[in-house]
Amino acid sequence: MGKATRNIIFRLYPTRKQEETLTHWPDLHRELYNAALQERRDAYRKCGISLTYNEQQNELPAVKEGRPDLVPLGSHALQETVRRVDRAYRSLLDASMGLLFSMLAYKAVEAEGRAENVIPNGTSQDCFWCGAKARTCPCESTGVRTAASPSIGTTTRPSIFSIVVWSRPGGNHPRRGAVLLRL
């Protein structure tokens, strides 16, 4: 037999000042949440970088210095608010990537091609055209890379997701019309 649970109800009878504080704190958390979300958006739009939870969490002491009204909320509560932004951002990214992959697979089949998920580990160092490591790539010296894609294979940050879309049936080499997306 399972454990019995017992509900306990606590009734609060706050003073007027306590009631004002209790109704004001959710507004402060909402402001922090929206500010952290806007900071992530701006960082990506303006600089092309994605902020992490740790980067935003490390800024909280400076935020509390500039906004003393956040101090009574406590560090742990503020960190949890920033953590919620991070969880929401990751969920959105996962959903978006899943939708992107399914759309690419659909389009590949529609064009009588195929799409394959590729394990992204180390793909940022591989040449898209010949598969050699970027430092020893013969394509760089022979000029095979086009002006439209000079940085393929030499990205500065590691790939999170990779997918190859073969645009011709039976195609098995990037030079035969494949598109490699590294995100």
Side-chain angles (χ1 to χ4, degrees):
M1 190 169 224
K3 290 184 176 181
T5 58
R6 181 181 295 175
N7 292 334
I8 299 174
I9 298 174
F10 292 101
R11 296 196 186 273
L12 297 177
Y13 299 102
T15 64
R16 189 171 301 275
K17 184 178 179 184
Q18 291 172 333
E19 188 175 340
E20 289 174 10
T21 301
L22 288 173
T23 57
H24 183 62
W25 280 5
D27 293 334
L28 294 175
H29 280 287
R30 189 178 312 110
E31 286 179 30
L32 178 63
Y33 184 95
N34 290 336
L37 185 59
Q38 188 64 43
E39 183 182 31
R40 283 179 179 240
R41 287 181 188 152
D42 291 345
Y44 188 77
R45 285 182 186 154
K46 294 177 182 177
C47 304
I49 59 171
S50 295
L51 295 178
T52 64
Y53 163 74
N54 287 331
E55 291 169 336
Q56 288 189 305
Q57 183 259 327
N58 290 339
E59 294 176 9
L60 285 176
V63 170
K64 288 193 300 187
E65 284 180 16
R67 292 280 310 270
D69 56 335
L70 294 175
V71 173
L73 296 176
S75 296
H76 291 278
L78 297 176
Q79 290 169 2
E80 183 57 33
T81 299
V82 173
R83 193 173 286 118
R84 286 181 182 185
V85 172
D86 187 57
R87 278 190 233 124
Y89 211 74
R90 287 182 188 204
S91 297
L92 181 63
L93 178 65
D94 290 345
S96 299
M97 295 312 301
L99 180 62
L100 173 66
F101 286 157
S102 64
M103 287 172 45
L104 285 173
Y106 173 78
K107 289 294 185 181
V109 169
E110 190 178 66
E112 298 180 359
R114 69 180 199 272
E116 297 176 13
N117 286 334
V118 178
I119 298 172
N121 297 348
T123 58
S124 296
Q125 279 77 55
D126 295 343
C127 174
F128 177 69
W129 302 106
C130 68
K133 293 294 176 193
R135 293 183 182 160
T136 61
C137 174
C139 298
E140 191 71 45
S141 60
T142 58
V144 171
R145 290 185 182 178
T146 64
S149 58
S151 64
I152 291 178
T154 58
T155 57
T156 55
R157 61 182 188 167
S159 301
I160 299 171
F161 302 102
S162 295
I163 188 169
V164 176
V165 178
W166 304 103
S167 61
R168 295 185 188 157
N172 59 0
H173 194 275
R175 289 187 217 165
R176 293 190 185 152
V179 177
L180 175 64
L181 296 175
R182 291 191 181 115
L183 307 169

